[in-house]
Amino acid sequence: MKKNHILLIMAFFILTFVSCKKIQPTISNGKSGCDCTNEVSAEFLMEEMTTGNINFARFTDTDTIYSNKNVRFTAAEIGAEYTWYIGTELLTTKSVSRYFSNTLINQTLPISLVVKKKPNSICFPNDDGYDSITKYLTIVEKNIFYDNTISRLEGQYKVKSPLLSDSTIITIDIFYQNSTNQYLNVYNYDGLGSNCINVINGGGIEENYRQLWTFGATGIMAGDYLQGDIHDRLDGKAEINFTTGGYVNGSYIQKLKDWKYKGRKL
């Protein structure tokens, strides 16, 4: 009985303590949601364009371009004041495009952006709302030889695709039969030893310094209607995104397999 009496007294005091304890509210430090914000930044993209018509162009993030090409410069910051310094020009829009002719071959040009914006003083009390960045754009010549083309994208790529059990090596060869007739040869495009030789040419190719697109093999049976892009990225990684076709129940499907290779250029 004495033991039970002691347990009852202890239970009484515990219940009294819990019932009397005040629940303290969580006090905000005023920085909720700061994980989704950043200090004002002048970071921007430099993107080489494949064609002169911006409505149909493809863009590649880069620090080097072929001459006689357009480049689009786009600020990352939204809703700010922008001041671009490109050569002798001063521009004030979020995004600008400029053409770089062959008179600039082998030159490296500074591209500067100044951004001003009201800062988020709660999340970043030391941010003054001002930032500036200078990047450098190099212009090179696209060397064309009938037997060999010096292209940034030519060579071997060690890559892996989810469709393969192991990594493989894909070889890219670009050449011209004459000054305008460009060919793209791809060796081992499916990781199984298949090659696409002398069938992707002409209007089926668009090329930037770091990226090339193909729109399908001219000879469907020879190249499995190979199409996609090869991208030797600015960060040193490489991506090759190919689709190939094939027959299903007697009908030819142009995009039957999607390879999505990732790796590096050797």
Side-chain angles (χ1 to χ4, degrees), residues 2-18:
K2 186 176 181 180
K3 183 177 180 181
N4 291 338
H5 181 70
I6 293 173
L7 290 175
L8 287 172
I9 293 173
M10 290 178 63
F12 172 78
F13 279 109
I14 291 173
L15 289 172
T16 303
F17 174 77
V18 171

Side-chain angles (χ1 to χ4, degrees), residues 125-153:
N126 296 322
D127 187 4
D128 60 2
Y130 176 96
D131 193 30
S132 64
I133 290 179
T134 297
K135 296 186 178 184
Y136 294 89
L137 180 69
T138 300
I139 295 90
V140 299
E141 183 178 12
K142 185 176 181 180
N143 296 304
I144 297 175
F145 301 94
Y146 299 155
D147 59 343
N148 184 35
T149 302
I150 300 176
S151 169
R152 180 71 176 79
L153 298 169

Side-chain angles (χ1 to χ4, degrees), residues 202-221:
I205 302 171
E206 287 189 350
E207 185 179 1
N208 284 337
Y209 180 77
R210 290 186 174 276
Q211 192 169 14
L212 178 148
W213 292 263
T214 172
F215 311 119
T218 303
I220 291 178
M221 294 300 295

Side-chain angles (χ1 to χ4, degrees), residues 29-61:
N29 60 7
K31 295 188 177 183
S32 60
C34 287
D35 290 343
C36 300
T37 63
N38 298 287
E39 293 187 35
V40 174
S41 170
E43 182 60 45
F44 64 90
L45 282 177
M46 298 192 296
E47 298 172 293
E48 183 179 6
M49 297 168 54
T50 53
T51 70
N53 188 331
I54 195 170
N55 294 319
F56 300 99
R58 299 168 188 265
F59 298 90
T60 304
D61 184 20

Side-chain angles (χ1 to χ4, degrees), residues 44 46 73 85-87 100 108-112 134-137:
F44 64 90
M46 298 192 296
F73 305 95
Y85 297 91
I86 303 176
F100 296 86
T108 298
L109 309 177
I111 310 294
S112 299
T134 297
K135 296 186 178 184
Y136 294 89
L137 180 69

Side-chain angles (χ1 to χ4, degrees), residues 158-197:
K158 186 173 183 179
V159 291
K160 180 71 172 64
S161 166
L163 298 183
L164 298 173
S165 60
D166 199 0
S167 61
T168 190
I169 292 179
I170 295 175
T171 301
I172 304 299
D173 176 40
I174 302 169
F175 69 98
Y176 283 74
Q177 285 190 340
N178 51 56
S179 60
T180 59
N181 197 8
Q182 183 184 28
Y183 274 84
L184 169 68
N185 288 340
V186 184
Y187 297 84
N188 192 33
Y189 60 81
D190 58 0
L192 304 173
S194 299
N195 303 322
C196 192
I197 309 298

